[in-house]
Each structure stands twice: as C-alpha cells, then as structure tokens.
Amino acid sequence: MKVEYNERVSLGQIDIRTDMVEKEVTILHLTDSHLLEVDDREEELDFLYAIQRKWKDIENVEAMSSRLHFNNLLQLGHEKEVGCTVMTGDVVDFPSLANLDFVKKSLQSLASPYLYTLGNHDWYYPYMEWNDSTRKDYYPRFFDFTYGNPAYQMVNVNGIKLIAIDNSNYQISEEQLHFFQEQLQDGLPCLLFMHIPLYIPSLATEVVQTWKAPIMMAAPGWDVKTQQLWKVRDADPSTIQFYHLVTGKEHDQLLGIFCGHVHFPHQDPFRPNRYQFITTPCFRGGYRIIRILPW
Ligand SMILES: [Fe+2]
C-alpha cells in the first residue's frame, strides 16, 4: 500500500496521497474553539462570567472572537466544498444552553455532513465534579450533534471512513474498542478523530513543557500528585488494547489520527509512515484542511 504525506503549512493543509482511494476527498478539521456563550438561563451565571474574564486575561480570547473564528472556519469549509467538517472537542468551553444553541444554528448552515466528538470541556461546568458520571449526565445535550451517540460515530465519505471516538476522559471503553475493531474489518481507508492525542514519545516533550503534565492518552510518566490534579486514572485495559491496535502493524488502512487538546500544532508518526496530527485551536483561528488524494 502506498501512502505519502505532504504538509502545506502556509495553506493549513495536509495532503495524504494513497493508492487506496480513487476519488479526492477534502475534509475540514476544527478543534478547541472553546465557545463562551452564556445567558440568563444558567444557574451559575457569575461563575461563567468569571470564566469568560479568565479567557480574556490569559489567552486574550473573548466570546465574540471565538464565535467569529468558528463561523469563519465553517464558511471556509463551505468555500472549499469539503466533504465533511470534523470537530474534535472543546468546541464549547462548557455545555451552556447558549453555547449549544449557537453551535446548532451554525452547523445547520453546513452543506455537507459533520462529525462532533467531545473534549474534556464540552460536557463539564467547572463548578461540577469532572468525572465519567458528569459526562454521562451531559451526553444528552450533544445527541443532536452526534447522531444520538456522543461516544462514537462514523461517516463514510466517498469510500473513506471518518471515525470519531470520545476519549475526553483519557480512556477508550470496551464498547468503543469493539466499535473501532468492527470499523476496521472491511479494510476501507480510514481516519481517526479524537480530542486527546495518543501518547507518542516525540510529542511528549512539548506537551510536558507546555502543560507540566503528560496530558496524552495512555501516557506514561505521570507523578501521583499531578495525576490526581488532572483526575486522569491509569489507562484502562481497553485503552491499552486500543493503543496497541492503533500503533500495531495490522491495520495499514488507518491513514491518520487528528486531535486537539494540547493547543499547539504537531505531527508525529504513531507507527512507521502513519501520522498523528494535532491542529492549532480554533480560538486562535487554527484549522486543518485534509485532502486525501489518489496516487
Ligand atoms: Fe482545549
């Protein structure tokens, strides 16, 4: 099987050329817009205003700028006639009703399908406990964007499978693993989209420098205190199995992994000649155009 990557940085674009496809497919990857819309339907309004101020002070990001970036990039996808728009989490900074209304309205304007997988922010108000139970409680708010299943989805665009899996708790469940294994059965070319990047040694240095913690999936090197602070448990057996499945030699057809979470762009091989791409956050105007091209 032939696969060749050509990153065109100035265009925010990655071209993946392969003999596995016959038709060109273009995809827009967006991540980490951290939308900050609030209104008086929220119980803890002052708390949410304080979060808005924090974003302004630390990142110079305002609700309006996040909103503009998000809609401008959807428009860019429209102009480029993308076959799918894929959002890999932290689309909203918290699941406020105003945020979800905004996302719903924006996505309604799309002319092609989209995928939305969740990040560690989407389902969580910062005054709550960050845990699997909170995620479960808030999943229903995302049913409209996820074909009724925020845990995993797949869309097939011209014979290329785009697979989205919610790993926002740093884990892959048994059910998600089973779903992914099933998706690989037919051997069709596929791309995997998740919020949290897979641990790759060449990525770890910059992640730890930036975040003072190895905030990647299945990462070694946590110290106990930092791990408790981030509420990240050791990788579950199903997460480890998923990690081996993805990084092993068996499934050539996985052409790329696309993530966000760490808020800087990067690309690293997760196995020989297969790359994981982290995209610049949308709140800074970042995006990635993915073109899959016939050989
Ligand atoms: Fe984020």
Side-chain angles (χ1 to χ4, degrees):
M1 181 187 306
K2 295 176 184 167
V3 182
E4 189 180 86
Y5 299 83
N6 179 15
E7 192 177 24
R8 306 175 76 188
V9 178
S10 61
L11 300 176
Q13 185 170 307
I14 181 73
D15 289 349
I16 306 177
R17 200 173 287 280
T18 176
D19 59 357
M20 289 201 79
V21 303
E22 283 169 12
K23 271 197 231 165
E24 178 178 332
V25 170
T26 305
I27 295 146
L28 171 64
H29 177 216
L30 285 188
T31 194
D32 298 87
S33 41
H34 286 271
L35 293 163
L36 295 161
E37 305 298 312
V38 292
D39 61 24
D40 57 14
R41 286 175 290 176
E42 301 302 321
E43 284 171 23
E44 302 283 348
L45 205 47
D46 288 343
F47 198 102
L48 298 178
Y49 285 143
I51 291 176
Q52 285 185 338
R53 283 195 296 276
K54 212 166 124 191
W55 273 95
K56 170 82 180 126
D57 293 344
I58 296 172
E59 294 280 358
N60 199 24
V61 166
E62 292 185 86
M64 194 178 70
S65 59
S66 298
R67 198 189 309 151
L68 277 175
H69 281 312
F70 188 72
N71 275 344
N72 286 346
L73 293 176
L74 292 187
Q75 179 61 27
L76 175 81
H78 191 65
E79 283 157 20
K80 293 202 174 275
E81 298 181 351
V82 296
C84 190
T85 300
V86 188
M87 293 156 281
T88 52
D90 290 3
V91 171
V92 297
D93 198 54
F94 39 75
S96 64
L97 295 169
N99 260 338
L100 300 174
D101 285 351
F102 174 79
V103 171
K104 192 170 192 173
K105 204 171 160 209
S106 299
L107 295 179
Q108 272 167 359
S109 70
L110 294 179
S112 54
Y114 66 83
L115 280 172
Y116 181 149
T117 189
L118 279 63
N120 50 309
H121 276 265
D122 293 85
W123 43 264
Y124 159 74
Y125 285 101
Y127 49 82
M128 291 175 171
E129 282 292 311
W130 188 86
N131 57 30
D132 287 5
S133 158
T134 303
R135 179 172 71 165
K136 195 166 173 239
D137 289 346
Y138 278 85
Y139 257 1
R141 289 203 179 185
F142 297 88
F143 283 173
D144 280 353
F145 312 129
T146 57
Y147 307 93
N149 184 5
Y152 51 83
Q153 313 97 37
M154 188 279 291
V155 295
N156 183 322
V157 182
N158 287 347
I160 300 174
K161 287 172 131 180
L162 311 182
I163 301 167
I165 298 188
D166 173 6
N167 72 343
S168 60
N169 65 346
Y170 293 78
Q171 306 292 344
I172 298 292
S173 68
E174 289 281 349
E175 191 185 336
Q176 289 171 316
L177 174 66
H178 184 68
F179 164 77
F180 187 62
Q181 284 166 329
E182 267 184 3
Q183 293 304 319
L184 294 172
Q185 290 305 314
D186 57 16
L188 284 175
C190 57
L191 305 179
L192 173 62
F193 296 87
M194 315 183 286
H195 181 62
I196 296 179
L198 205 65
Y199 165 73
I200 297 174
S202 59
L203 168 64
T205 310
E206 194 168 344
V207 170
V208 174
Q209 258 170 16
T210 308
W211 294 94
K212 313 292 176 240
I215 52 167
M216 296 157 287
M217 192 171 72
W222 284 93
D223 69 61
V224 177
K225 224 173 129 187
T226 317
Q227 197 172 3
Q228 280 168 355
L229 193 74
W230 282 84
K231 302 185 177 77
V232 176
R233 63 179 184 265
D234 287 342
D236 293 341
S238 47
T239 305
I240 293 170
Q241 223 182 317
F242 177 84
Y243 185 86
H244 290 310
L245 182 65
V246 167
T247 56
K249 289 200 175 74
E250 206 182 331
H251 297 288
D252 266 356
Q253 78 267 35
L254 179 56
L255 301 177
I257 304 175
F258 296 85
C259 326
H261 188 49
V262 295
H263 296 178
F264 58 77
H266 222 266
Q267 67 174 72
D268 306 271
F270 59 89
R271 51 170 283 197
N273 199 34
R274 294 290 185 279
Y275 284 83
Q276 169 170 272
F277 299 89
I278 301 172
T279 296
T280 305
C282 176
F283 71 76
R284 294 197 189 115
Y287 64 93
R288 197 184 298 269
I289 296 288
I290 307 162
R291 293 200 311 167
I292 313 292
L293 306 164
W295 194 259

